[in-house]
Amino acid sequence: MMLALGLGLLCVALWPDPAGAQFPRVCCTVEGILSKQCCPSMGSDPANVCGSLLGRGNCTPVRVDNKPWGGPYNLRNVDDRERWPMKFFNQTCRCTGNFAGHDCSQCKFGWTGPNCDQRKAPVVRKNIHSLTPEELQEFLNALEMAKNTTHPDYVIATQHWLGLLGPNGTEPQIANISIYDFFVWQHYYSVRDTLLGPGRPFRAIDFSHKGPAFITWHRYHLLSLERELQRLTGNENFAIPYWNFATGQSECDVCTDSLLGGRNPDNPFLISNQSRFSRWGVVCNSLDDYNRLVTLCNGTSEGLIQRGMMNGGNGSLPTMNDVRNCLGIRDFDSPPYFTNSSFSFRNALEGYEKPDGELDESVNNLHNLVHSMLNGTSALSHSAANDPIFVVLHAFTDAIFDEWMKRFVPSNATFPDEMAPIGHNRDYNMVPFFPPITNEEIYITSEQLGYSYAVDLAETDGGPNVFVLGSTLGGVFIGLLVLLLIFVLYLRQRRNRGFEPLIKADFTNRKYTEEA
């Protein structure tokens, strides 16, 4: 107890980064926090630690990534998310085989059965516009239940790690939180600033954006919510839908009262009163206040979801041609694995470079463009997940990544193992997920994780970065004939009309289709 009190006083004196985190409720006791061990017993037998009596797992030291990181975060041993989750727990359950969970009582994604040895038929994520009325209501009702149901397993810490036991060292500073707000809190915690003292944030840090982990982090984030919604509904085949935002339009076609909320006619920045989502309170929205007070989001409501007027400017949503161009980029990522990477599939999908991979600092496309167009709550990375559109938006972003995986079948080596920004190396434990899971473990196809998409993103002609004339002699011959024909037409056109560009044509791709 004296040790805990001493640490708390030291914290006040030095103002270190005040990071809390989300951990299993069963581990957030005075004994658990002081021991830094989170190895719960599975079931009622206290000897069955991590399901060890059933061969499901063991209590072992946490493995962390020790390879150097790059990017703008140049501090060391300042942010509690460094070497995650060692500042909080250095021993956790390591599950064997296909077992998973903080106590090894669950199965890995994609597996089922008492012994987790049966492949689960992939759940199918459909276009939200293709859902049957019953499926749509199940999805909307599941979101509502998640918003109003306390998470059965996890709590959030409301104080930094040195003050986690309170001023007397006897009272864990934790709070319950709903399942959906927990989902929001995780996203906030991954992007929050490093705090060096009152009003002294270090902003150049992000564990879930601006690097390779953007893909894997959000994939795991959605998977975790989907599993919780399956538990809530009692339907193990429940799947979150996606929103195909690549419409090229200036309006949001899921922003209706029958879907995710239309515009309030009395206040265009709020959701219509006819929608259930008009009553949703937002959490983790006051980032500047947290920075000023050197504190964390504690999960309390801070107002209502806001959306801007999408058609208030001249902008429009991405197009299917943007998606196809992005899918034509062969390399998953490229040095420096940041927002200034060029010809990087990840950077193009995230939206920091043109869809065809050309770097342009002024560009705002695909994922980033959609968030910006939605405006309001969705435009702020620390609070964006409050808006339920976040779920369907990121499901489609994940669908694009999954199509890329199928096309290029990348090896693990294509995900950088060092010099990516902090949190983005291949073997880094993704912050703040617990028990620890690395980026590499999620860098696999959706079917291996137990889900698939009812979407066809295949293209009939090559994108600008994947122009293949043929892999056989016949294909090469045909390709040469095509080039010769283009050259002849070019010469004729130049003689008759003066100089014009060699090719003046738009690629025509097969129309995007959806499966019910």
Short mmCIF file of all heavy atoms in Angstrom, two decimals, residues 448-503:
data_model
loop_
_atom_site.label_atom_id
_atom_site.label_comp_id
_atom_site.label_asym_id
_atom_site.label_seq_id
_atom_site.Cartn_x
_atom_site.Cartn_y
_atom_site.Cartn_z
N GLN A 448 -10.10 -16.34 -42.91
CA GLN A 448 -9.34 -16.95 -41.82
C GLN A 448 -9.78 -16.40 -40.47
O GLN A 448 -9.54 -17.04 -39.44
CB GLN A 448 -7.84 -16.69 -42.02
CG GLN A 448 -7.25 -17.43 -43.22
CD GLN A 448 -5.80 -17.03 -43.47
OE1 GLN A 448 -5.50 -16.04 -44.13
NE2 GLN A 448 -4.89 -17.80 -42.90
N LEU A 449 -10.44 -15.24 -40.48
CA LEU A 449 -10.92 -14.63 -39.26
C LEU A 449 -12.41 -14.84 -39.05
O LEU A 449 -13.00 -14.31 -38.11
CB LEU A 449 -10.61 -13.13 -39.28
CG LEU A 449 -9.11 -12.78 -39.23
CD1 LEU A 449 -8.89 -11.30 -39.57
CD2 LEU A 449 -8.52 -13.11 -37.87
N GLY A 450 -13.02 -15.59 -39.96
CA GLY A 450 -14.41 -15.99 -39.75
C GLY A 450 -15.47 -15.10 -40.36
O GLY A 450 -16.62 -15.14 -39.92
N TYR A 451 -15.13 -14.33 -41.39
CA TYR A 451 -16.14 -13.51 -42.05
C TYR A 451 -15.76 -13.28 -43.50
O TYR A 451 -14.61 -13.51 -43.91
CB TYR A 451 -16.34 -12.18 -41.33
CG TYR A 451 -15.19 -11.20 -41.44
CD1 TYR A 451 -15.21 -10.16 -42.36
CD2 TYR A 451 -14.06 -11.31 -40.62
CE1 TYR A 451 -14.16 -9.26 -42.47
CE2 TYR A 451 -13.01 -10.42 -40.71
CZ TYR A 451 -13.06 -9.38 -41.64
OH TYR A 451 -12.01 -8.50 -41.74
N SER A 452 -16.73 -12.84 -44.29
CA SER A 452 -16.49 -12.51 -45.69
C SER A 452 -17.41 -11.37 -46.09
O SER A 452 -18.27 -10.95 -45.30
CB SER A 452 -16.74 -13.73 -46.58
OG SER A 452 -18.10 -14.12 -46.51
N TYR A 453 -17.24 -10.88 -47.31
CA TYR A 453 -18.06 -9.77 -47.80
C TYR A 453 -18.86 -10.17 -49.02
O TYR A 453 -18.35 -10.84 -49.93
CB TYR A 453 -17.18 -8.57 -48.16
CG TYR A 453 -16.62 -7.84 -46.97
CD1 TYR A 453 -15.32 -8.09 -46.51
CD2 TYR A 453 -17.40 -6.92 -46.27
CE1 TYR A 453 -14.81 -7.42 -45.40
CE2 TYR A 453 -16.89 -6.26 -45.16
CZ TYR A 453 -15.60 -6.51 -44.73
OH TYR A 453 -15.11 -5.86 -43.63
N ALA A 454 -20.12 -9.78 -49.03
CA ALA A 454 -20.97 -9.95 -50.21
C ALA A 454 -20.78 -8.72 -51.09
O ALA A 454 -21.61 -7.82 -51.14
CB ALA A 454 -22.43 -10.12 -49.81
N VAL A 455 -19.67 -8.69 -51.76
CA VAL A 455 -19.32 -7.54 -52.59
C VAL A 455 -18.38 -8.02 -53.69
O VAL A 455 -17.60 -8.95 -53.48
CB VAL A 455 -18.65 -6.43 -51.75
CG1 VAL A 455 -17.36 -6.92 -51.12
CG2 VAL A 455 -18.40 -5.17 -52.58
N ASP A 456 -18.49 -7.41 -54.86
CA ASP A 456 -17.62 -7.75 -55.98
C ASP A 456 -16.84 -6.52 -56.37
O ASP A 456 -17.38 -5.58 -56.96
CB ASP A 456 -18.45 -8.27 -57.16
CG ASP A 456 -17.58 -8.72 -58.32
OD1 ASP A 456 -16.34 -8.67 -58.19
OD2 ASP A 456 -18.15 -9.12 -59.35
N LEU A 457 -15.57 -6.51 -56.02
CA LEU A 457 -14.70 -5.38 -56.37
C LEU A 457 -13.73 -5.74 -57.48
O LEU A 457 -12.76 -5.02 -57.72
CB LEU A 457 -13.91 -4.92 -55.13
CG LEU A 457 -14.75 -4.32 -54.00
CD1 LEU A 457 -13.87 -4.03 -52.80
CD2 LEU A 457 -15.46 -3.07 -54.46
N ALA A 458 -14.00 -6.86 -58.17
CA ALA A 458 -13.11 -7.29 -59.26
C ALA A 458 -13.21 -6.29 -60.40
O ALA A 458 -14.24 -5.66 -60.64
CB ALA A 458 -13.50 -8.67 -59.75
N GLU A 459 -12.11 -6.14 -61.14
CA GLU A 459 -12.09 -5.23 -62.28
C GLU A 459 -11.74 -5.99 -63.54
O GLU A 459 -11.05 -7.01 -63.51
CB GLU A 459 -11.09 -4.10 -62.05
CG GLU A 459 -9.66 -4.57 -61.87
CD GLU A 459 -8.71 -3.41 -61.57
OE1 GLU A 459 -9.19 -2.28 -61.48
OE2 GLU A 459 -7.51 -3.65 -61.47
N THR A 460 -12.20 -5.49 -64.65
CA THR A 460 -11.98 -6.19 -65.91
C THR A 460 -10.74 -5.70 -66.63
O THR A 460 -10.27 -6.34 -67.54
CB THR A 460 -13.18 -6.00 -66.84
OG1 THR A 460 -13.43 -4.60 -67.03
CG2 THR A 460 -14.42 -6.64 -66.24
N ASP A 461 -10.23 -4.53 -66.27
CA ASP A 461 -8.98 -4.10 -66.88
C ASP A 461 -8.04 -3.62 -65.81
O ASP A 461 -8.44 -3.25 -64.72
CB ASP A 461 -9.21 -3.00 -67.93
CG ASP A 461 -10.02 -1.83 -67.39
OD1 ASP A 461 -9.69 -1.34 -66.30
OD2 ASP A 461 -10.97 -1.45 -68.06
N GLY A 462 -6.74 -3.66 -66.13
CA GLY A 462 -5.75 -3.34 -65.13
C GLY A 462 -5.75 -1.88 -64.76
O GLY A 462 -6.00 -1.01 -65.57
N GLY A 463 -5.45 -1.62 -63.49
CA GLY A 463 -5.32 -0.25 -63.03
C GLY A 463 -4.01 0.31 -63.51
O GLY A 463 -3.19 -0.37 -64.13
N PRO A 464 -3.74 1.56 -63.26
CA PRO A 464 -2.56 2.22 -63.79
C PRO A 464 -1.26 1.64 -63.29
O PRO A 464 -0.24 1.78 -63.93
CB PRO A 464 -2.72 3.68 -63.32
CG PRO A 464 -3.64 3.58 -62.13
CD PRO A 464 -4.55 2.45 -62.43
N ASN A 465 -1.28 0.95 -62.16
CA ASN A 465 -0.05 0.41 -61.61
C ASN A 465 0.05 -1.09 -61.74
O ASN A 465 0.99 -1.69 -61.27
CB ASN A 465 0.06 0.79 -60.13
CG ASN A 465 0.09 2.28 -59.95
OD1 ASN A 465 1.01 2.93 -60.40
ND2 ASN A 465 -0.94 2.82 -59.33
N VAL A 466 -0.97 -1.70 -62.37
CA VAL A 466 -0.92 -3.14 -62.57
C VAL A 466 -1.37 -3.40 -63.99
O VAL A 466 -2.41 -3.98 -64.25
CB VAL A 466 -1.85 -3.88 -61.58
CG1 VAL A 466 -1.55 -5.35 -61.61
CG2 VAL A 466 -1.68 -3.35 -60.17
N PHE A 467 -0.61 -2.93 -64.97
CA PHE A 467 -0.97 -3.10 -66.36
C PHE A 467 -0.22 -4.29 -66.91
O PHE A 467 0.96 -4.23 -67.18
CB PHE A 467 -0.63 -1.83 -67.14
CG PHE A 467 -1.19 -1.82 -68.54
CD1 PHE A 467 -2.55 -1.76 -68.74
CD2 PHE A 467 -0.35 -1.92 -69.63
CE1 PHE A 467 -3.06 -1.76 -70.01
CE2 PHE A 467 -0.85 -1.91 -70.91
CZ PHE A 467 -2.23 -1.83 -71.11
N VAL A 468 -0.90 -5.41 -67.03
CA VAL A 468 -0.25 -6.66 -67.44
C VAL A 468 -0.68 -7.00 -68.86
O VAL A 468 -1.85 -7.18 -69.15
CB VAL A 468 -0.66 -7.81 -66.50
CG1 VAL A 468 0.05 -9.08 -66.92
CG2 VAL A 468 -0.31 -7.46 -65.08
N LEU A 469 0.27 -7.10 -69.78
CA LEU A 469 -0.05 -7.42 -71.17
C LEU A 469 -0.23 -8.90 -71.41
O LEU A 469 -0.81 -9.32 -72.41
CB LEU A 469 1.06 -6.89 -72.09
CG LEU A 469 1.20 -5.37 -72.16
CD1 LEU A 469 2.34 -4.99 -73.07
CD2 LEU A 469 -0.09 -4.74 -72.62
N GLY A 470 0.26 -9.70 -70.53
CA GLY A 470 0.08 -11.13 -70.71
C GLY A 470 1.19 -11.89 -70.06
O GLY A 470 2.33 -11.46 -70.07
N SER A 471 0.86 -13.04 -69.51
CA SER A 471 1.87 -13.86 -68.86
C SER A 471 2.31 -15.01 -69.74
O SER A 471 3.18 -15.77 -69.38
CB SER A 471 1.30 -14.40 -67.54
OG SER A 471 0.13 -15.14 -67.80
N THR A 472 1.72 -15.12 -70.93
CA THR A 472 2.11 -16.16 -71.88
C THR A 472 2.59 -15.49 -73.15
O THR A 472 2.39 -14.29 -73.37
CB THR A 472 0.91 -17.07 -72.20
OG1 THR A 472 -0.08 -16.30 -72.87
CG2 THR A 472 0.31 -17.65 -70.93
N LEU A 473 3.21 -16.28 -74.04
CA LEU A 473 3.69 -15.73 -75.30
C LEU A 473 2.53 -15.17 -76.13
O LEU A 473 2.66 -14.12 -76.77
CB LEU A 473 4.41 -16.83 -76.10
CG LEU A 473 5.77 -17.27 -75.53
CD1 LEU A 473 6.34 -18.41 -76.36
CD2 LEU A 473 6.74 -16.10 -75.51
N GLY A 474 1.40 -15.86 -76.08
CA GLY A 474 0.24 -15.38 -76.81
C GLY A 474 -0.22 -14.04 -76.28
O GLY A 474 -0.55 -13.13 -77.06
N GLY A 475 -0.20 -13.88 -74.95
CA GLY A 475 -0.61 -12.62 -74.36
C GLY A 475 0.34 -11.49 -74.74
O GLY A 475 -0.09 -10.37 -75.02
N VAL A 476 1.64 -11.77 -74.75
CA VAL A 476 2.63 -10.77 -75.15
C VAL A 476 2.41 -10.34 -76.59
O VAL A 476 2.45 -9.15 -76.93
CB VAL A 476 4.05 -11.33 -74.95
CG1 VAL A 476 5.08 -10.38 -75.55
CG2 VAL A 476 4.33 -11.57 -73.48
N PHE A 477 2.14 -11.31 -77.46
CA PHE A 477 1.93 -11.01 -78.87
C PHE A 477 0.72 -10.10 -79.06
O PHE A 477 0.77 -9.11 -79.79
CB PHE A 477 1.75 -12.32 -79.66
CG PHE A 477 1.52 -12.11 -81.14
CD1 PHE A 477 2.53 -11.64 -81.96
CD2 PHE A 477 0.27 -12.34 -81.69
CE1 PHE A 477 2.32 -11.44 -83.31
CE2 PHE A 477 0.04 -12.14 -83.04
CZ PHE A 477 1.06 -11.69 -83.87
N ILE A 478 -0.38 -10.44 -78.38
CA ILE A 478 -1.59 -9.63 -78.48
C ILE A 478 -1.33 -8.23 -77.94
O ILE A 478 -1.78 -7.23 -78.51
CB ILE A 478 -2.75 -10.30 -77.71
CG1 ILE A 478 -3.15 -11.61 -78.42
CG2 ILE A 478 -3.95 -9.38 -77.61
CD1 ILE A 478 -4.17 -12.42 -77.64
N GLY A 479 -0.59 -8.15 -76.85
CA GLY A 479 -0.29 -6.86 -76.27
C GLY A 479 0.50 -5.98 -77.22
O GLY A 479 0.24 -4.77 -77.35
N LEU A 480 1.48 -6.58 -77.91
CA LEU A 480 2.27 -5.82 -78.87
C LEU A 480 1.42 -5.32 -80.03
O LEU A 480 1.58 -4.20 -80.52
CB LEU A 480 3.42 -6.68 -79.39
CG LEU A 480 4.53 -6.99 -78.38
CD1 LEU A 480 5.53 -7.98 -78.96
CD2 LEU A 480 5.24 -5.71 -77.95
N LEU A 481 0.48 -6.14 -80.46
CA LEU A 481 -0.42 -5.72 -81.53
C LEU A 481 -1.26 -4.51 -81.10
O LEU A 481 -1.49 -3.58 -81.87
CB LEU A 481 -1.34 -6.87 -81.94
CG LEU A 481 -0.70 -7.99 -82.77
CD1 LEU A 481 -1.72 -9.09 -83.07
CD2 LEU A 481 -0.14 -7.44 -84.09
N VAL A 482 -1.73 -4.55 -79.86
CA VAL A 482 -2.53 -3.44 -79.35
C VAL A 482 -1.70 -2.16 -79.31
O VAL A 482 -2.15 -1.09 -79.73
CB VAL A 482 -3.07 -3.77 -77.93
CG1 VAL A 482 -3.71 -2.53 -77.31
CG2 VAL A 482 -4.08 -4.90 -78.01
N LEU A 483 -0.45 -2.26 -78.84
CA LEU A 483 0.42 -1.09 -78.79
C LEU A 483 0.71 -0.56 -80.20
O LEU A 483 0.75 0.66 -80.43
CB LEU A 483 1.73 -1.44 -78.08
CG LEU A 483 1.63 -1.65 -76.56
CD1 LEU A 483 2.99 -2.07 -76.01
CD2 LEU A 483 1.17 -0.37 -75.87
N LEU A 484 0.90 -1.46 -81.16
CA LEU A 484 1.16 -1.05 -82.52
C LEU A 484 -0.04 -0.30 -83.10
O LEU A 484 0.10 0.72 -83.77
CB LEU A 484 1.48 -2.28 -83.39
CG LEU A 484 1.77 -2.00 -84.87
CD1 LEU A 484 2.99 -1.08 -85.01
CD2 LEU A 484 2.03 -3.31 -85.62
N LEU A 485 -1.24 -0.82 -82.81
CA LEU A 485 -2.45 -0.18 -83.30
C LEU A 485 -2.60 1.22 -82.71
O LEU A 485 -2.94 2.18 -83.43
CB LEU A 485 -3.67 -1.03 -82.94
CG LEU A 485 -5.04 -0.45 -83.32
CD1 LEU A 485 -5.12 -0.26 -84.84
CD2 LEU A 485 -6.16 -1.36 -82.84
N ILE A 486 -2.32 1.34 -81.41
CA ILE A 486 -2.40 2.66 -80.77
C ILE A 486 -1.42 3.63 -81.40
O ILE A 486 -1.72 4.80 -81.65
CB ILE A 486 -2.15 2.53 -79.25
CG1 ILE A 486 -3.31 1.78 -78.58
CG2 ILE A 486 -1.98 3.90 -78.60
CD1 ILE A 486 -3.07 1.47 -77.12
N PHE A 487 -0.22 3.14 -81.70
CA PHE A 487 0.82 3.99 -82.28
C PHE A 487 0.42 4.46 -83.66
O PHE A 487 0.60 5.63 -84.03
CB PHE A 487 2.14 3.23 -82.32
CG PHE A 487 3.31 4.07 -82.80
CD1 PHE A 487 3.78 5.12 -82.02
CD2 PHE A 487 3.90 3.84 -84.02
CE1 PHE A 487 4.84 5.89 -82.43
CE2 PHE A 487 4.96 4.62 -84.45
CZ PHE A 487 5.43 5.66 -83.66
N VAL A 488 -0.16 3.57 -84.49
CA VAL A 488 -0.61 3.93 -85.83
C VAL A 488 -1.70 5.00 -85.75
O VAL A 488 -1.70 5.98 -86.49
CB VAL A 488 -1.12 2.68 -86.59
CG1 VAL A 488 -1.79 3.09 -87.89
CG2 VAL A 488 0.04 1.74 -86.88
N LEU A 489 -2.65 4.78 -84.82
CA LEU A 489 -3.73 5.76 -84.66
C LEU A 489 -3.18 7.11 -84.22
O LEU A 489 -3.65 8.17 -84.64
CB LEU A 489 -4.75 5.25 -83.64
CG LEU A 489 -5.59 4.05 -84.08
CD1 LEU A 489 -6.44 3.56 -82.92
CD2 LEU A 489 -6.47 4.42 -85.26
N TYR A 490 -2.17 7.04 -83.37
CA TYR A 490 -1.53 8.28 -82.90
C TYR A 490 -0.91 9.05 -84.06
O TYR A 490 -1.08 10.26 -84.19
CB TYR A 490 -0.49 7.93 -81.85
CG TYR A 490 0.58 8.99 -81.63
CD1 TYR A 490 0.24 10.22 -81.07
CD2 TYR A 490 1.90 8.76 -81.98
CE1 TYR A 490 1.20 11.19 -80.87
CE2 TYR A 490 2.86 9.72 -81.79
CZ TYR A 490 2.51 10.93 -81.23
OH TYR A 490 3.47 11.89 -81.04
N LEU A 491 -0.17 8.35 -84.94
CA LEU A 491 0.47 9.02 -86.08
C LEU A 491 -0.57 9.64 -87.01
O LEU A 491 -0.42 10.77 -87.48
CB LEU A 491 1.33 8.03 -86.84
CG LEU A 491 2.59 7.53 -86.10
CD1 LEU A 491 3.31 6.49 -86.96
CD2 LEU A 491 3.52 8.69 -85.77
N ARG A 492 -1.65 8.89 -87.25
CA ARG A 492 -2.70 9.41 -88.13
C ARG A 492 -3.36 10.63 -87.53
O ARG A 492 -3.61 11.63 -88.19
CB ARG A 492 -3.74 8.32 -88.38
CG ARG A 492 -4.89 8.80 -89.26
CD ARG A 492 -5.87 7.69 -89.52
NE ARG A 492 -5.23 6.61 -90.29
CZ ARG A 492 -5.87 5.49 -90.64
NH1 ARG A 492 -7.14 5.30 -90.25
NH2 ARG A 492 -5.24 4.56 -91.31
N GLN A 493 -3.61 10.55 -86.21
CA GLN A 493 -4.27 11.67 -85.54
C GLN A 493 -3.38 12.90 -85.53
O GLN A 493 -3.83 14.03 -85.72
CB GLN A 493 -4.61 11.24 -84.10
CG GLN A 493 -5.46 12.25 -83.34
CD GLN A 493 -5.79 11.75 -81.95
OE1 GLN A 493 -4.87 11.48 -81.18
NE2 GLN A 493 -7.06 11.62 -81.65
N ARG A 494 -2.10 12.68 -85.37
CA ARG A 494 -1.17 13.82 -85.32
C ARG A 494 -1.07 14.50 -86.68
O ARG A 494 -0.98 15.72 -86.77
CB ARG A 494 0.20 13.33 -84.86
CG ARG A 494 1.20 14.46 -84.64
CD ARG A 494 2.44 13.97 -83.96
NE ARG A 494 3.37 15.06 -83.73
CZ ARG A 494 4.52 14.94 -83.11
NH1 ARG A 494 4.89 13.74 -82.64
NH2 ARG A 494 5.31 15.96 -82.94
N ARG A 495 -1.10 13.68 -87.77
CA ARG A 495 -1.05 14.26 -89.11
C ARG A 495 -2.31 15.07 -89.41
O ARG A 495 -2.26 16.15 -89.98
CB ARG A 495 -0.90 13.15 -90.15
CG ARG A 495 0.49 12.55 -90.25
CD ARG A 495 0.66 11.82 -91.57
NE ARG A 495 -0.42 10.85 -91.77
CZ ARG A 495 -0.32 9.56 -91.39
NH1 ARG A 495 0.78 9.14 -90.79
NH2 ARG A 495 -1.32 8.73 -91.60
N ASN A 496 -3.45 14.53 -89.01
CA ASN A 496 -4.71 15.12 -89.41
C ASN A 496 -5.14 16.29 -88.53
O ASN A 496 -5.81 17.20 -88.99
CB ASN A 496 -5.82 14.07 -89.40
CG ASN A 496 -5.57 12.98 -90.44
OD1 ASN A 496 -4.84 13.21 -91.40
ND2 ASN A 496 -6.19 11.82 -90.24
N ARG A 497 -4.78 16.27 -87.25
CA ARG A 497 -5.34 17.25 -86.32
C ARG A 497 -4.29 17.99 -85.50
O ARG A 497 -4.63 18.76 -84.62
CB ARG A 497 -6.32 16.57 -85.37
CG ARG A 497 -7.50 15.93 -86.09
CD ARG A 497 -8.32 15.07 -85.15
NE ARG A 497 -8.79 15.85 -84.00
CZ ARG A 497 -9.40 15.29 -82.96
NH1 ARG A 497 -9.58 13.97 -82.92
NH2 ARG A 497 -9.81 16.05 -81.97
N GLY A 498 -3.04 17.76 -85.78
CA GLY A 498 -2.03 18.37 -84.96
C GLY A 498 -1.76 17.53 -83.74
O GLY A 498 -2.44 16.54 -83.48
N PHE A 499 -0.78 17.87 -82.92
CA PHE A 499 -0.38 17.04 -81.79
C PHE A 499 -1.44 17.00 -80.71
O PHE A 499 -1.99 18.01 -80.32
CB PHE A 499 0.93 17.57 -81.20
CG PHE A 499 1.36 16.78 -80.00
CD1 PHE A 499 1.97 15.54 -80.15
CD2 PHE A 499 1.13 17.26 -78.72
CE1 PHE A 499 2.34 14.82 -79.05
CE2 PHE A 499 1.51 16.53 -77.62
CZ PHE A 499 2.11 15.30 -77.78
N GLU A 500 -1.74 15.76 -80.23
CA GLU A 500 -2.60 15.54 -79.09
C GLU A 500 -1.97 14.44 -78.26
O GLU A 500 -1.14 13.67 -78.75
CB GLU A 500 -4.01 15.12 -79.53
CG GLU A 500 -4.78 16.25 -80.21
CD GLU A 500 -6.21 15.86 -80.52
OE1 GLU A 500 -6.64 14.81 -80.00
OE2 GLU A 500 -6.88 16.58 -81.27
N PRO A 501 -2.37 14.30 -76.99
CA PRO A 501 -1.81 13.23 -76.16
C PRO A 501 -2.02 11.87 -76.80
O PRO A 501 -2.99 11.66 -77.53
CB PRO A 501 -2.60 13.36 -74.85
CG PRO A 501 -3.03 14.78 -74.81
CD PRO A 501 -3.28 15.17 -76.24
N LEU A 502 -1.10 10.97 -76.53
CA LEU A 502 -1.13 9.64 -77.13
C LEU A 502 -2.43 8.91 -76.83
O LEU A 502 -3.02 8.31 -77.72
CB LEU A 502 0.05 8.81 -76.61
CG LEU A 502 0.14 7.37 -77.10
CD1 LEU A 502 0.24 7.33 -78.62
CD2 LEU A 502 1.32 6.66 -76.49
N ILE A 503 -2.87 8.94 -75.58
CA ILE A 503 -4.09 8.24 -75.20
C ILE A 503 -5.05 9.25 -74.58
O ILE A 503 -4.72 9.90 -73.60
CB ILE A 503 -3.80 7.11 -74.21
CG1 ILE A 503 -2.89 6.07 -74.87
CG2 ILE A 503 -5.10 6.45 -73.74
CD1 ILE A 503 -2.52 4.95 -73.95
#
